[in-house]
Amino acid sequence: MPVSDRDYDVVIVGAGPAGGLAAITTARAGLRTLLVEKHAVIGEPLCCAEGISLCGLNDNIPVDRRWIDADIERCVLYSPGGRQLRLHHPDAGYVLSRRRFEQGLVDIAAAHGCDVVTNTEATGLVADDGGRFRGVRLQENGRAYIAGCAVIIAADGIESMVARWAGLDTLLPTDRLDSAAQFLFSGVPDLDPTRMEFYFDTEIAPGGYAWVFPKGEDLANVGIALAPAVAGSRKAMPMLREFMKRRFGAAAPTPLKRTVGGIPEFCGRKFMLKQNVLVTGDAARLLDSITGAGIANALWSGRLAGETAVEFLRDGRGDLSILKRYPERWMAARGRQMRYFLWARQIFLRMSNADLDAVIAATGALYNDQTVTAIDPIDVIKKALRARPSLLRLARHVVW
């Protein structure tokens, strides 16, 4: 088999947010970096609602306004009975253009010397007799070759094959995998360009929620996520069409684009490292278990994986124990919140519409018509539990 013209220090598979920021981090540090994307166009196809908090973006990469479709200043959560929780947060976050955002990250990485190849598929890993991985098998326009490297970063999304080739069993039980469907619309009626809408109702989205995210002009992502473990035979796309009838009635706009996909839930650190393969973002199942949000976690994990790879290679001894710092740092930074979300999710899946009404009514009394400048999700969950103490009965048999 032909071999690459050059070997690399780091090969990163997947040019999404995790892969892009990992590539920036390693290339900026002077490491010979290859970023591999199987699709022809960076940022396509889209499997995301594109929302991110301000800190989730700003804490990882300086914001380029060209990435932003909408600045979010408020959110409204609707209960089954029509109650509302209105959050007014002047700096809540953004709705991105994932395509411009991911291309922007790749451009920054390339400016620091990263080699980028698109339309190139990873087909396997190469290991030495000691089990350490020495390269990635690639297929580019009919040409097969091996890109040699000392560290591999898997950023290849929910279907990650790199993690499996490394020996990680990333399959999830059905209660840890949600189903989602989304339309991109133009001409959305009654659309506030600064407001996100969330709809909680076990009839609309069992075990999940529906959303309307503005994307500038008159565009919006309208979608639904549900938990198959609760929804049974009901499917996301038909339920999205039912939600559209409720939300828009006869004024339902015409969809421009359709997206469907799965949302893997957080499972701790067990999918994040194998030998010298560091697994990031959706590939490592690093999504918030309540919201299903994953962009910020992908950025954090990509940056931490890149920083750890830099330390490993600068050390020069090939000591794999250095790479163990990556999952340790992730858990130190995000583990408590992620585990709390996972615990709260198990309660959420058992909530009735009456419970949802009570929680949104009680928390709405605390936040409605007030301007907040910071929201601690754990504090909000605690307030919800205080407002409806009977929810704690649902926590029986929940594993922390």
Side-chain angles (χ1 to χ4, degrees):
M1 174 175 288
V3 178
S4 171
D5 293 338
R6 57 180 296 193
D7 286 342
Y8 292 89
D9 295 314
V10 182
V11 173
I12 301 165
V13 180
L21 198 51
I24 291 172
T25 305
T26 56
R28 182 182 284 156
L31 300 186
R32 298 168 301 163
T33 302
L34 174 65
L35 179 59
V36 179
E37 171 56 46
K38 70 178 180 181
H39 297 106
V41 177
I42 302 292
E44 295 283 353
L46 174 69
C47 291
C48 178
E50 302 178 282
I52 187 171
S53 66
L54 185 141
C55 64
L57 186 58
N58 290 1
D59 287 355
N60 288 293
I61 187 79
V63 175
D64 184 329
R65 292 295 309 174
R66 291 174 293 183
W67 303 340
I68 309 301
D69 273 345
D71 293 280
I72 300 303
E73 299 178 355
R74 53 182 61 84
C75 301
V76 183
L77 282 64
Y78 295 91
S79 81
R83 298 183 181 278
Q84 298 181 17
L85 167 56
R86 300 188 300 275
L87 297 172
H88 181 207
H89 190 323
D91 298 312
Y94 311 104
V95 176
L96 298 170
S97 162
R98 281 287 297 266
R99 181 170 175 174
R100 293 198 301 275
F101 172 56
E102 292 176 19
Q103 183 63 60
L105 295 181
V106 170
D107 289 344
I108 295 171
H112 285 286
C114 175
D115 287 348
V116 180
V117 292
T118 59
N119 215 20
T120 301
E121 188 166 6
T123 59
L125 304 182
V126 178
D128 62 20
D129 293 340
R132 185 173 300 198
F133 298 99
R134 299 298 187 186
V136 181
R137 299 180 186 275
L138 299 173
Q139 184 83 27
E140 180 182 9
N141 297 322
R143 184 173 78 100
Y145 61 97
I146 297 170
C149 59
V151 174
I152 298 165
I153 296 179
D156 48 341
I158 182 174
E159 75 279 11
S160 178
M161 292 304 297
V162 174
R164 294 188 195 183
W165 294 329
L168 294 167
D169 180 3
T170 57
L171 292 177
L172 294 173
T174 54
D175 62 346
R176 292 290 180 88
L177 185 66
D178 290 346
S179 177
Q182 177 177 274
F183 285 118
L184 171 66
F185 287 112
S186 67
V188 179
D190 304 324
L191 181 67
D192 182 334
T194 67
R195 183 188 67 192
M196 287 179 164
E197 301 174 18
F198 298 86
Y199 296 82
F200 294 89
D201 186 322
T202 60
E203 296 300 318
I204 292 176
Y209 62 91
W211 63 84
V212 179
F213 287 2
K215 278 182 63 67
E217 300 293 335
D218 60 353
L219 294 172
N221 283 330
V222 180
I224 192 171
L226 54 85
V230 177
S233 60
R234 290 174 286 184
K235 304 299 182 186
M237 183 55 72
M239 298 201 75
L240 174 57
R241 296 186 187 281
E242 287 299 314
F243 169 69
M244 289 166 49
K245 293 178 184 176
R246 293 193 185 199
R247 172 60 177 82
F248 302 114
T254 302
L256 301 176
K257 187 181 294 185
R258 186 181 81 161
T259 302
V260 295
I263 303 173
E265 300 298 335
F266 176 66
C267 291
R269 72 177 71 183
K270 63 180 181 178
F271 299 142
M272 298 182 71
L273 178 67
K274 186 73 173 183
Q275 292 281 21
N276 53 329
V277 177
L278 287 69
V279 189
T280 62
D282 291 11
R285 285 62 176 112
L286 301 180
L287 286 86
D288 291 352
S289 301
I290 290 290
T291 66
I295 303 175
N297 291 334
L299 291 171
W300 268 309
S301 63
R303 178 166 58 82
L304 291 174
E307 290 171 353
T308 309
V310 171
E311 291 179 10
F312 171 75
L313 287 158
R314 284 182 174 169
D315 177 78
R317 294 175 298 157
D319 179 3
L320 292 180
S321 66
I322 294 175
L323 297 180
K324 293 181 180 178
R325 297 171 186 170
Y326 161 56
E328 291 169 355
R329 287 168 174 164
W330 163 265
M331 293 302 294
R334 302 282 297 157
R336 175 175 175 268
Q337 186 177 83
M338 297 290 280
R339 291 182 63 211
Y340 199 90
F341 285 170
L342 182 58
W343 176 78
R345 169 187 165 81
Q346 295 177 72
I347 296 176
F348 175 69
L349 292 180
R350 303 175 185 189
M351 289 173 65
S352 66
N353 275 350
D355 293 327
L356 291 168
D357 275 325
V359 167
I360 289 183
T363 49
L366 298 172
Y367 289 106
N368 280 343
D369 301 320
Q370 297 185 35
T371 298
V372 296
T373 56
I375 297 174
D376 179 355
I378 292 179
D379 185 57
V380 172
I381 292 172
K382 287 180 178 177
K383 285 183 168 63
L385 292 173
R386 289 194 198 106
R388 187 79 166 179
S390 60
L391 290 176
L392 289 173
R393 79 182 188 280
L394 304 179
R396 289 178 300 176
H397 311 302
V398 169
V399 177
W400 168 250

